[in-house]
Amino acid sequence: MSISTSRSEQSYVLCQLDRKLILATQNGLPLDPDPWGTLGKQLGLQADEVLARFQRMQDAGVVRRIAAVPDHYRLGYRFNGMTVWDVRDDAITDLGRQVGELPFVSHCYRRPRHLPYWSYNLFAMVHGTSREEVEAKASQIQSLLGDHCQHHTILYSTAILKKTGLRLRKS
């Protein structure tokens, strides 16, 4: 199997062992103090080889990231607001980085405007236990953006979407 990467013109050939690693982790890492060692034992590898294989796949763009995906609702965060901002283009790179570093922003990214219908170009996800908490966090972002931001709004989640990573068929 050959997968084109977004990081280079080359393609990455997914070997059978890499495929087995992806299949073994597509429902999550083992809940174990040493998940890499546990995976290695399942596949006959050392923990450092498991890590090295994942690093190569990440470097090639096959795997974007390995991260925890919390269930916000089970943690009590029932208000999830995608804050969207109309930020001056000459300031968005620096300000977007600052917004993304705020401890209460789970993810932050830039998107193109679609004028005249959509003027927002900076998106920052905020979670809270109440609508008021999300709005208070959005106010902090607004203070950080200052005069560089023309306007914003908060788009609240109305449904829980299934979050999954890469899925391979077992064939």
Side-chain angles (χ1 to χ4, degrees):
M1 170 189 294
S2 179
I3 298 176
S4 295
T5 70
S6 59
R7 296 183 186 193
S8 71
E9 294 297 319
Q10 300 174 3
S11 63
Y12 181 88
V13 177
L14 193 64
C15 73
Q16 282 301 101
L17 199 47
D18 292 343
R19 184 178 172 75
K20 286 179 182 179
L21 274 173
I22 291 171
L23 285 169
T25 59
Q26 65 186 12
N27 289 324
L29 289 173
L31 295 177
D32 184 282
D34 180 20
W36 312 114
T38 301
L39 286 169
K41 286 177 189 170
Q42 291 174 10
L43 300 171
L45 300 170
Q46 295 295 317
D48 59 345
E49 176 63 18
V50 171
L51 279 169
R53 286 181 172 278
F54 273 114
Q55 186 62 58
R56 283 192 297 272
M57 287 188 279
Q58 189 171 8
D59 291 345
V62 173
V63 173
R64 282 189 291 158
R65 67 188 179 117
I66 297 171
V69 180
D71 182 335
H72 297 98
Y73 285 85
R74 288 182 68 188
L75 294 171
Y77 293 93
R78 302 210 181 276
F79 293 84
N80 305 293
M82 178 58 76
T83 63
V84 293
W85 308 87
D86 180 3
V87 178
R88 282 194 356 231
D89 291 330
D90 64 340
I92 193 170
T93 300
D94 184 50
L95 290 171
R97 190 173 296 114
Q98 291 177 49
V99 170
E101 290 173 355
L102 292 170
F104 55 82
V105 172
S106 63
H107 49 285
C108 179
Y109 47 90
R110 181 180 187 176
R111 289 289 185 255
R113 303 172 198 273
H114 292 283
L115 299 173
Y117 307 105
W118 189 258
S119 63
Y120 305 110
N121 59 348
L122 182 66
F123 294 57
M125 190 68 184
V126 175
H127 306 279
T129 57
S130 68
R131 194 175 195 94
E132 293 76 22
E133 182 182 352
V134 171
E135 290 170 3
K137 290 173 179 178
S139 291
Q140 290 180 51
I141 296 172
Q142 187 174 21
S143 293
L144 189 149
L145 297 174
D147 293 337
H148 299 289
C149 179
Q150 296 301 308
H151 55 281
H152 77 280
T153 193
I154 304 171
L155 309 171
Y156 287 96
S157 300
T158 57
I160 300 172
L161 302 176
K162 183 179 177 187
K163 300 177 190 179
T164 60
L166 175 66
R167 295 289 183 250
L168 297 177
R169 287 178 277 166
K170 294 185 181 193
S171 60

mmCIF file with all atom_site columns, all heavy atoms in Angstrom, residues 11-35:
data_model
loop_
_atom_site.group_PDB
_atom_site.id
_atom_site.type_symbol
_atom_site.label_atom_id
_atom_site.label_alt_id
_atom_site.label_comp_id
_atom_site.label_asym_id
_atom_site.label_entity_id
_atom_site.label_seq_id
_atom_site.pdbx_PDB_ins_code
_atom_site.Cartn_x
_atom_site.Cartn_y
_atom_site.Cartn_z
_atom_site.occupancy
_atom_site.B_iso_or_equiv
_atom_site.pdbx_formal_charge
_atom_site.auth_seq_id
_atom_site.auth_comp_id
_atom_site.auth_asym_id
_atom_site.auth_atom_id
_atom_site.pdbx_PDB_model_num
ATOM 1   N N   . SER A 1 11 ? 6.219   9.229  -1.682 1.00 0.00 ? 11 SER A N   1
ATOM 2   C CA  . SER A 1 11 ? 5.153   8.480  -1.038 1.00 0.00 ? 11 SER A CA  1
ATOM 3   C C   . SER A 1 11 ? 5.765   7.568  0.012  1.00 0.00 ? 11 SER A C   1
ATOM 4   O O   . SER A 1 11 ? 6.946   7.247  -0.028 1.00 0.00 ? 11 SER A O   1
ATOM 5   C CB  . SER A 1 11 ? 4.362   7.674  -2.064 1.00 0.00 ? 11 SER A CB  1
ATOM 6   O OG  . SER A 1 11 ? 5.199   6.716  -2.677 1.00 0.00 ? 11 SER A OG  1
ATOM 7   N N   . TYR A 1 12 ? 4.986   7.206  0.967  1.00 0.00 ? 12 TYR A N   1
ATOM 8   C CA  . TYR A 1 12 ? 5.426   6.347  2.051  1.00 0.00 ? 12 TYR A CA  1
ATOM 9   C C   . TYR A 1 12 ? 4.788   4.995  1.830  1.00 0.00 ? 12 TYR A C   1
ATOM 10  O O   . TYR A 1 12 ? 3.578   4.897  1.652  1.00 0.00 ? 12 TYR A O   1
ATOM 11  C CB  . TYR A 1 12 ? 4.977   6.947  3.387  1.00 0.00 ? 12 TYR A CB  1
ATOM 12  C CG  . TYR A 1 12 ? 5.412   6.152  4.593  1.00 0.00 ? 12 TYR A CG  1
ATOM 13  C CD1 . TYR A 1 12 ? 6.649   6.399  5.178  1.00 0.00 ? 12 TYR A CD1 1
ATOM 14  C CD2 . TYR A 1 12 ? 4.612   5.163  5.139  1.00 0.00 ? 12 TYR A CD2 1
ATOM 15  C CE1 . TYR A 1 12 ? 7.059   5.693  6.289  1.00 0.00 ? 12 TYR A CE1 1
ATOM 16  C CE2 . TYR A 1 12 ? 5.020   4.449  6.247  1.00 0.00 ? 12 TYR A CE2 1
ATOM 17  C CZ  . TYR A 1 12 ? 6.239   4.706  6.819  1.00 0.00 ? 12 TYR A CZ  1
ATOM 18  O OH  . TYR A 1 12 ? 6.655   4.011  7.920  1.00 0.00 ? 12 TYR A OH  1
ATOM 19  N N   . VAL A 1 13 ? 5.579   3.958  1.843  1.00 0.00 ? 13 VAL A N   1
ATOM 20  C CA  . VAL A 1 13 ? 5.058   2.613  1.667  1.00 0.00 ? 13 VAL A CA  1
ATOM 21  C C   . VAL A 1 13 ? 4.772   2.037  3.050  1.00 0.00 ? 13 VAL A C   1
ATOM 22  O O   . VAL A 1 13 ? 5.675   1.897  3.879  1.00 0.00 ? 13 VAL A O   1
ATOM 23  C CB  . VAL A 1 13 ? 6.053   1.715  0.893  1.00 0.00 ? 13 VAL A CB  1
ATOM 24  C CG1 . VAL A 1 13 ? 5.504   0.300  0.786  1.00 0.00 ? 13 VAL A CG1 1
ATOM 25  C CG2 . VAL A 1 13 ? 6.310   2.298  -0.486 1.00 0.00 ? 13 VAL A CG2 1
ATOM 26  N N   . LEU A 1 14 ? 3.526   1.752  3.290  1.00 0.00 ? 14 LEU A N   1
ATOM 27  C CA  . LEU A 1 14 ? 3.091   1.212  4.575  1.00 0.00 ? 14 LEU A CA  1
ATOM 28  C C   . LEU A 1 14 ? 3.357   -0.290 4.571  1.00 0.00 ? 14 LEU A C   1
ATOM 29  O O   . LEU A 1 14 ? 2.689   -1.039 3.872  1.00 0.00 ? 14 LEU A O   1
ATOM 30  C CB  . LEU A 1 14 ? 1.605   1.509  4.764  1.00 0.00 ? 14 LEU A CB  1
ATOM 31  C CG  . LEU A 1 14 ? 1.003   1.306  6.130  1.00 0.00 ? 14 LEU A CG  1
ATOM 32  C CD1 . LEU A 1 14 ? 1.626   2.267  7.132  1.00 0.00 ? 14 LEU A CD1 1
ATOM 33  C CD2 . LEU A 1 14 ? -0.494  1.536  6.072  1.00 0.00 ? 14 LEU A CD2 1
ATOM 34  N N   . CYS A 1 15 ? 4.360   -0.721 5.345  1.00 0.00 ? 15 CYS A N   1
ATOM 35  C CA  . CYS A 1 15 ? 4.689   -2.145 5.393  1.00 0.00 ? 15 CYS A CA  1
ATOM 36  C C   . CYS A 1 15 ? 3.677   -2.866 6.289  1.00 0.00 ? 15 CYS A C   1
ATOM 37  O O   . CYS A 1 15 ? 2.884   -2.246 6.998  1.00 0.00 ? 15 CYS A O   1
ATOM 38  C CB  . CYS A 1 15 ? 6.121   -2.348 5.873  1.00 0.00 ? 15 CYS A CB  1
ATOM 39  S SG  . CYS A 1 15 ? 6.355   -2.041 7.644  1.00 0.00 ? 15 CYS A SG  1
ATOM 40  N N   . GLN A 1 16 ? 3.737   -4.182 6.266  1.00 0.00 ? 16 GLN A N   1
ATOM 41  C CA  . GLN A 1 16 ? 2.786   -4.984 7.037  1.00 0.00 ? 16 GLN A CA  1
ATOM 42  C C   . GLN A 1 16 ? 2.887   -4.707 8.535  1.00 0.00 ? 16 GLN A C   1
ATOM 43  O O   . GLN A 1 16 ? 1.880   -4.660 9.227  1.00 0.00 ? 16 GLN A O   1
ATOM 44  C CB  . GLN A 1 16 ? 3.001   -6.479 6.757  1.00 0.00 ? 16 GLN A CB  1
ATOM 45  C CG  . GLN A 1 16 ? 2.413   -6.927 5.430  1.00 0.00 ? 16 GLN A CG  1
ATOM 46  C CD  . GLN A 1 16 ? 0.920   -6.668 5.348  1.00 0.00 ? 16 GLN A CD  1
ATOM 47  O OE1 . GLN A 1 16 ? 0.493   -5.702 4.722  1.00 0.00 ? 16 GLN A OE1 1
ATOM 48  N NE2 . GLN A 1 16 ? 0.122   -7.494 5.985  1.00 0.00 ? 16 GLN A NE2 1
ATOM 49  N N   . LEU A 1 17 ? 4.101   -4.482 9.036  1.00 0.00 ? 17 LEU A N   1
ATOM 50  C CA  . LEU A 1 17 ? 4.274   -4.219 10.464 1.00 0.00 ? 17 LEU A CA  1
ATOM 51  C C   . LEU A 1 17 ? 3.675   -2.866 10.854 1.00 0.00 ? 17 LEU A C   1
ATOM 52  O O   . LEU A 1 17 ? 3.004   -2.747 11.888 1.00 0.00 ? 17 LEU A O   1
ATOM 53  C CB  . LEU A 1 17 ? 5.755   -4.293 10.840 1.00 0.00 ? 17 LEU A CB  1
ATOM 54  C CG  . LEU A 1 17 ? 6.077   -4.476 12.313 1.00 0.00 ? 17 LEU A CG  1
ATOM 55  C CD1 . LEU A 1 17 ? 5.248   -5.576 12.961 1.00 0.00 ? 17 LEU A CD1 1
ATOM 56  C CD2 . LEU A 1 17 ? 7.551   -4.778 12.480 1.00 0.00 ? 17 LEU A CD2 1
ATOM 57  N N   . ASP A 1 18 ? 3.882   -1.846 10.011 1.00 0.00 ? 18 ASP A N   1
ATOM 58  C CA  . ASP A 1 18 ? 3.266   -0.537 10.267 1.00 0.00 ? 18 ASP A CA  1
ATOM 59  C C   . ASP A 1 18 ? 1.745   -0.672 10.247 1.00 0.00 ? 18 ASP A C   1
ATOM 60  O O   . ASP A 1 18 ? 1.045   -0.093 11.074 1.00 0.00 ? 18 ASP A O   1
ATOM 61  C CB  . ASP A 1 18 ? 3.703   0.492  9.225  1.00 0.00 ? 18 ASP A CB  1
ATOM 62  C CG  . ASP A 1 18 ? 5.170   0.865  9.340  1.00 0.00 ? 18 ASP A CG  1
ATOM 63  O OD1 . ASP A 1 18 ? 5.778   0.606  10.391 1.00 0.00 ? 18 ASP A OD1 1
ATOM 64  O OD2 . ASP A 1 18 ? 5.705   1.423  8.356  1.00 0.00 ? 18 ASP A OD2 1
ATOM 65  N N   . ARG A 1 19 ? 1.261   -1.440 9.283  1.00 0.00 ? 19 ARG A N   1
ATOM 66  C CA  . ARG A 1 19 ? -0.191  -1.667 9.180  1.00 0.00 ? 19 ARG A CA  1
ATOM 67  C C   . ARG A 1 19 ? -0.715  -2.333 10.453 1.00 0.00 ? 19 ARG A C   1
ATOM 68  O O   . ARG A 1 19 ? -1.755  -1.961 10.978 1.00 0.00 ? 19 ARG A O   1
ATOM 69  C CB  . ARG A 1 19 ? -0.471  -2.514 7.945  1.00 0.00 ? 19 ARG A CB  1
ATOM 70  C CG  . ARG A 1 19 ? -1.912  -2.748 7.669  1.00 0.00 ? 19 ARG A CG  1
ATOM 71  C CD  . ARG A 1 19 ? -2.072  -3.570 6.369  1.00 0.00 ? 19 ARG A CD  1
ATOM 72  N NE  . ARG A 1 19 ? -3.428  -3.964 6.184  1.00 0.00 ? 19 ARG A NE  1
ATOM 73  C CZ  . ARG A 1 19 ? -4.404  -3.176 5.784  1.00 0.00 ? 19 ARG A CZ  1
ATOM 74  N NH1 . ARG A 1 19 ? -4.159  -1.918 5.522  1.00 0.00 ? 19 ARG A NH1 1
ATOM 75  N NH2 . ARG A 1 19 ? -5.634  -3.624 5.649  1.00 0.00 ? 19 ARG A NH2 1
ATOM 76  N N   . LYS A 1 20 ? 0.021   -3.327 10.966 1.00 0.00 ? 20 LYS A N   1
ATOM 77  C CA  . LYS A 1 20 ? -0.393  -4.004 12.204 1.00 0.00 ? 20 LYS A CA  1
ATOM 78  C C   . LYS A 1 20 ? -0.396  -3.033 13.387 1.00 0.00 ? 20 LYS A C   1
ATOM 79  O O   . LYS A 1 20 ? -1.279  -3.106 14.247 1.00 0.00 ? 20 LYS A O   1
ATOM 80  C CB  . LYS A 1 20 ? 0.526   -5.189 12.493 1.00 0.00 ? 20 LYS A CB  1
ATOM 81  C CG  . LYS A 1 20 ? 0.287   -6.368 11.580 1.00 0.00 ? 20 LYS A CG  1
ATOM 82  C CD  . LYS A 1 20 ? 1.235   -7.509 11.903 1.00 0.00 ? 20 LYS A CD  1
ATOM 83  C CE  . LYS A 1 20 ? 1.021   -8.673 10.959 1.00 0.00 ? 20 LYS A CE  1
ATOM 84  N NZ  . LYS A 1 20 ? 1.943   -9.795 11.235 1.00 0.00 ? 20 LYS A NZ  1
ATOM 85  N N   . LEU A 1 21 ? 0.582   -2.128 13.426 1.00 0.00 ? 21 LEU A N   1
ATOM 86  C CA  . LEU A 1 21 ? 0.616   -1.116 14.491 1.00 0.00 ? 21 LEU A CA  1
ATOM 87  C C   . LEU A 1 21 ? -0.607  -0.202 14.427 1.00 0.00 ? 21 LEU A C   1
ATOM 88  O O   . LEU A 1 21 ? -1.216  0.107  15.453 1.00 0.00 ? 21 LEU A O   1
ATOM 89  C CB  . LEU A 1 21 ? 1.888   -0.273 14.394 1.00 0.00 ? 21 LEU A CB  1
ATOM 90  C CG  . LEU A 1 21 ? 3.121   -0.817 15.069 1.00 0.00 ? 21 LEU A CG  1
ATOM 91  C CD1 . LEU A 1 21 ? 4.335   0.033  14.741 1.00 0.00 ? 21 LEU A CD1 1
ATOM 92  C CD2 . LEU A 1 21 ? 2.917   -0.882 16.565 1.00 0.00 ? 21 LEU A CD2 1
ATOM 93  N N   . ILE A 1 22 ? -0.950  0.228  13.234 1.00 0.00 ? 22 ILE A N   1
ATOM 94  C CA  . ILE A 1 22 ? -2.120  1.098  13.079 1.00 0.00 ? 22 ILE A CA  1
ATOM 95  C C   . ILE A 1 22 ? -3.383  0.345  13.481 1.00 0.00 ? 22 ILE A C   1
ATOM 96  O O   . ILE A 1 22 ? -4.228  0.873  14.213 1.00 0.00 ? 22 ILE A O   1
ATOM 97  C CB  . ILE A 1 22 ? -2.209  1.649  11.649 1.00 0.00 ? 22 ILE A CB  1
ATOM 98  C CG1 . ILE A 1 22 ? -1.065  2.643  11.408 1.00 0.00 ? 22 ILE A CG1 1
ATOM 99  C CG2 . ILE A 1 22 ? -3.564  2.311  11.401 1.00 0.00 ? 22 ILE A CG2 1
ATOM 100 C CD1 . ILE A 1 22 ? -0.914  3.097  9.972  1.00 0.00 ? 22 ILE A CD1 1
ATOM 101 N N   . LEU A 1 23 ? -3.519  -0.899 13.026 1.00 0.00 ? 23 LEU A N   1
ATOM 102 C CA  . LEU A 1 23 ? -4.692  -1.692 13.395 1.00 0.00 ? 23 LEU A CA  1
ATOM 103 C C   . LEU A 1 23 ? -4.773  -1.893 14.911 1.00 0.00 ? 23 LEU A C   1
ATOM 104 O O   . LEU A 1 23 ? -5.857  -1.836 15.491 1.00 0.00 ? 23 LEU A O   1
ATOM 105 C CB  . LEU A 1 23 ? -4.670  -3.045 12.689 1.00 0.00 ? 23 LEU A CB  1
ATOM 106 C CG  . LEU A 1 23 ? -5.020  -3.026 11.203 1.00 0.00 ? 23 LEU A CG  1
ATOM 107 C CD1 . LEU A 1 23 ? -4.698  -4.375 10.564 1.00 0.00 ? 23 LEU A CD1 1
ATOM 108 C CD2 . LEU A 1 23 ? -6.484  -2.664 10.999 1.00 0.00 ? 23 LEU A CD2 1
ATOM 109 N N   . ALA A 1 24 ? -3.617  -2.097 15.553 1.00 0.00 ? 24 ALA A N   1
ATOM 110 C CA  . ALA A 1 24 ? -3.594  -2.327 17.005 1.00 0.00 ? 24 ALA A CA  1
ATOM 111 C C   . ALA A 1 24 ? -3.925  -1.071 17.802 1.00 0.00 ? 24 ALA A C   1
ATOM 112 O O   . ALA A 1 24 ? -4.293  -1.161 18.974 1.00 0.00 ? 24 ALA A O   1
ATOM 113 C CB  . ALA A 1 24 ? -2.223  -2.865 17.410 1.00 0.00 ? 24 ALA A CB  1
ATOM 114 N N   . THR A 1 25 ? -3.799  0.102  17.187 1.00 0.00 ? 25 THR A N   1
ATOM 115 C CA  . THR A 1 25 ? -4.009  1.352  17.928 1.00 0.00 ? 25 THR A CA  1
ATOM 116 C C   . THR A 1 25 ? -5.192  2.170  17.445 1.00 0.00 ? 25 THR A C   1
ATOM 117 O O   . THR A 1 25 ? -5.478  3.217  18.016 1.00 0.00 ? 25 THR A O   1
ATOM 118 C CB  . THR A 1 25 ? -2.747  2.231  17.856 1.00 0.00 ? 25 THR A CB  1
ATOM 119 O OG1 . THR A 1 25 ? -2.442  2.511  16.497 1.00 0.00 ? 25 THR A OG1 1
ATOM 120 C CG2 . THR A 1 25 ? -1.583  1.558  18.538 1.00 0.00 ? 25 THR A CG2 1
ATOM 121 N N   . GLN A 1 26 ? -5.899  1.737  16.417 1.00 0.00 ? 26 GLN A N   1
ATOM 122 C CA  . GLN A 1 26 ? -6.949  2.596  15.880 1.00 0.00 ? 26 GLN A CA  1
ATOM 123 C C   . GLN A 1 26 ? -8.139  2.761  16.823 1.00 0.00 ? 26 GLN A C   1
ATOM 124 O O   . GLN A 1 26 ? -8.916  3.690  16.663 1.00 0.00 ? 26 GLN A O   1
ATOM 125 C CB  . GLN A 1 26 ? -7.377  2.156  14.487 1.00 0.00 ? 26 GLN A CB  1
ATOM 126 C CG  . GLN A 1 26 ? -8.032  0.830  14.368 1.00 0.00 ? 26 GLN A CG  1
ATOM 127 C CD  . GLN A 1 26 ? -8.258  0.473  12.895 1.00 0.00 ? 26 GLN A CD  1
ATOM 128 O OE1 . GLN A 1 26 ? -7.742  1.104  11.983 1.00 0.00 ? 26 GLN A OE1 1
ATOM 129 N NE2 . GLN A 1 26 ? -9.048  -0.547 12.679 1.00 0.00 ? 26 GLN A NE2 1
ATOM 130 N N   . ASN A 1 27 ? -8.246  1.931  17.823 1.00 0.00 ? 27 ASN A N   1
ATOM 131 C CA  . ASN A 1 27 ? -9.274  2.138  18.854 1.00 0.00 ? 27 ASN A CA  1
ATOM 132 C C   . ASN A 1 27 ? -8.684  2.749  20.115 1.00 0.00 ? 27 ASN A C   1
ATOM 133 O O   . ASN A 1 27 ? -9.336  2.812  21.144 1.00 0.00 ? 27 ASN A O   1
ATOM 134 C CB  . ASN A 1 27 ? -9.981  0.824  19.183 1.00 0.00 ? 27 ASN A CB  1
ATOM 135 C CG  . ASN A 1 27 ? -10.872 0.378  18.052 1.00 0.00 ? 27 ASN A CG  1
ATOM 136 O OD1 . ASN A 1 27 ? -11.482 1.203  17.378 1.00 0.00 ? 27 ASN A OD1 1
ATOM 137 N ND2 . ASN A 1 27 ? -10.922 -0.921 17.815 1.00 0.00 ? 27 ASN A ND2 1
ATOM 138 N N   . GLY A 1 28 ? -7.433  3.190  20.037 1.00 0.00 ? 28 GLY A N   1
ATOM 139 C CA  . GLY A 1 28 ? -6.778  3.819  21.171 1.00 0.00 ? 28 GLY A CA  1
ATOM 140 C C   . GLY A 1 28 ? -5.558  3.047  21.615 1.00 0.00 ? 28 GLY A C   1
ATOM 141 O O   . GLY A 1 28 ? -5.392  1.863  21.300 1.00 0.00 ? 28 GLY A O   1
ATOM 142 N N   . LEU A 1 29 ? -4.689  3.742  22.329 1.00 0.00 ? 29 LEU A N   1
ATOM 143 C CA  . LEU A 1 29 ? -3.506  3.098  22.895 1.00 0.00 ? 29 LEU A CA  1
ATOM 144 C C   . LEU A 1 29 ? -3.923  2.254  24.097 1.00 0.00 ? 29 LEU A C   1
ATOM 145 O O   . LEU A 1 29 ? -4.926  2.551  24.754 1.00 0.00 ? 29 LEU A O   1
ATOM 146 C CB  . LEU A 1 29 ? -2.502  4.154  23.358 1.00 0.00 ? 29 LEU A CB  1
ATOM 147 C CG  . LEU A 1 29 ? -1.776  4.925  22.278 1.00 0.00 ? 29 LEU A CG  1
ATOM 148 C CD1 . LEU A 1 29 ? -0.942  6.041  22.899 1.00 0.00 ? 29 LEU A CD1 1
ATOM 149 C CD2 . LEU A 1 29 ? -0.904  4.017  21.443 1.00 0.00 ? 29 LEU A CD2 1
ATOM 150 N N   . PRO A 1 30 ? -3.152  1.217  24.406 1.00 0.00 ? 30 PRO A N   1
ATOM 151 C CA  . PRO A 1 30 ? -3.455  0.432  25.615 1.00 0.00 ? 30 PRO A CA  1
ATOM 152 C C   . PRO A 1 30 ? -3.401  1.333  26.846 1.00 0.00 ? 30 PRO A C   1
ATOM 153 O O   . PRO A 1 30 ? -2.513  2.166  26.969 1.00 0.00 ? 30 PRO A O   1
ATOM 154 C CB  . PRO A 1 30 ? -2.332  -0.610 25.652 1.00 0.00 ? 30 PRO A CB  1
ATOM 155 C CG  . PRO A 1 30 ? -1.779  -0.669 24.272 1.00 0.00 ? 30 PRO A CG  1
ATOM 156 C CD  . PRO A 1 30 ? -1.990  0.695  23.686 1.00 0.00 ? 30 PRO A CD  1
ATOM 157 N N   . LEU A 1 31 ? -4.375  1.170  27.737 1.00 0.00 ? 31 LEU A N   1
ATOM 158 C CA  . LEU A 1 31 ? -4.389  1.932  28.995 1.00 0.00 ? 31 LEU A CA  1
ATOM 159 C C   . LEU A 1 31 ? -3.434  1.237  29.946 1.00 0.00 ? 31 LEU A C   1
ATOM 160 O O   . LEU A 1 31 ? -3.819  0.383  30.742 1.00 0.00 ? 31 LEU A O   1
ATOM 161 C CB  . LEU A 1 31 ? -5.807  2.015  29.561 1.00 0.00 ? 31 LEU A CB  1
ATOM 162 C CG  . LEU A 1 31 ? -6.796  2.799  28.711 1.00 0.00 ? 31 LEU A CG  1
ATOM 163 C CD1 . LEU A 1 31 ? -8.196  2.760  29.315 1.00 0.00 ? 31 LEU A CD1 1
ATOM 164 C CD2 . LEU A 1 31 ? -6.330  4.230  28.532 1.00 0.00 ? 31 LEU A CD2 1
ATOM 165 N N   . ASP A 1 32 ? -2.192  1.602  29.831 1.00 0.00 ? 32 ASP A N   1
ATOM 166 C CA  . ASP A 1 32 ? -1.111  0.913  30.506 1.00 0.00 ? 32 ASP A CA  1
ATOM 167 C C   . ASP A 1 32 ? -0.004  1.930  30.770 1.00 0.00 ? 32 ASP A C   1
ATOM 168 O O   . ASP A 1 32 ? 0.172   2.848  29.977 1.00 0.00 ? 32 ASP A O   1
ATOM 169 C CB  . ASP A 1 32 ? -0.628  -0.192 29.548 1.00 0.00 ? 32 ASP A CB  1
ATOM 170 C CG  . ASP A 1 32 ? 0.445   -1.070 30.126 1.00 0.00 ? 32 ASP A CG  1
ATOM 171 O OD1 . ASP A 1 32 ? 1.613   -0.621 30.149 1.00 0.00 ? 32 ASP A OD1 1
ATOM 172 O OD2 . ASP A 1 32 ? 0.125   -2.183 30.542 1.00 0.00 ? 32 ASP A OD2 1
ATOM 173 N N   . PRO A 1 33 ? 0.744   1.798  31.850 1.00 0.00 ? 33 PRO A N   1
ATOM 174 C CA  . PRO A 1 33 ? 1.840   2.750  32.090 1.00 0.00 ? 33 PRO A CA  1
ATOM 175 C C   . PRO A 1 33 ? 2.887   2.752  30.969 1.00 0.00 ? 33 PRO A C   1
ATOM 176 O O   . PRO A 1 33 ? 3.580   3.734  30.771 1.00 0.00 ? 33 PRO A O   1
ATOM 177 C CB  . PRO A 1 33 ? 2.466   2.266  33.403 1.00 0.00 ? 33 PRO A CB  1
ATOM 178 C CG  . PRO A 1 33 ? 1.409   1.457  34.063 1.00 0.00 ? 33 PRO A CG  1
ATOM 179 C CD  . PRO A 1 33 ? 0.577   0.867  32.963 1.00 0.00 ? 33 PRO A CD  1
ATOM 180 N N   . ASP A 1 34 ? 3.005   1.641  30.233 1.00 0.00 ? 34 ASP A N   1
ATOM 181 C CA  . ASP A 1 34 ? 3.961   1.536  29.136 1.00 0.00 ? 34 ASP A CA  1
ATOM 182 C C   . ASP A 1 34 ? 3.240   1.048  27.881 1.00 0.00 ? 34 ASP A C   1
ATOM 183 O O   . ASP A 1 34 ? 3.385   -0.114 27.474 1.00 0.00 ? 34 ASP A O   1
ATOM 184 C CB  . ASP A 1 34 ? 5.096   0.578  29.510 1.00 0.00 ? 34 ASP A CB  1
ATOM 185 C CG  . ASP A 1 34 ? 6.130   0.421  28.412 1.00 0.00 ? 34 ASP A CG  1
ATOM 186 O OD1 . ASP A 1 34 ? 6.207   1.296  27.520 1.00 0.00 ? 34 ASP A OD1 1
ATOM 187 O OD2 . ASP A 1 34 ? 6.857   -0.583 28.437 1.00 0.00 ? 34 ASP A OD2 1
ATOM 188 N N   . PRO A 1 35 ? 2.429   1.923  27.248 1.00 0.00 ? 35 PRO A N   1
ATOM 189 C CA  . PRO A 1 35 ? 1.655   1.465  26.083 1.00 0.00 ? 35 PRO A CA  1
ATOM 190 C C   . PRO A 1 35 ? 2.545   1.003  24.930 1.00 0.00 ? 35 PRO A C   1
ATOM 191 O O   . PRO A 1 35 ? 2.185   0.082  24.199 1.00 0.00 ? 35 PRO A O   1
ATOM 192 C CB  . PRO A 1 35 ? 0.824   2.682  25.699 1.00 0.00 ? 35 PRO A CB  1
ATOM 193 C CG  . PRO A 1 35 ? 1.551   3.849  26.274 1.00 0.00 ? 35 PRO A CG  1
ATOM 194 C CD  . PRO A 1 35 ? 2.225   3.339  27.510 1.00 0.00 ? 35 PRO A CD  1
#
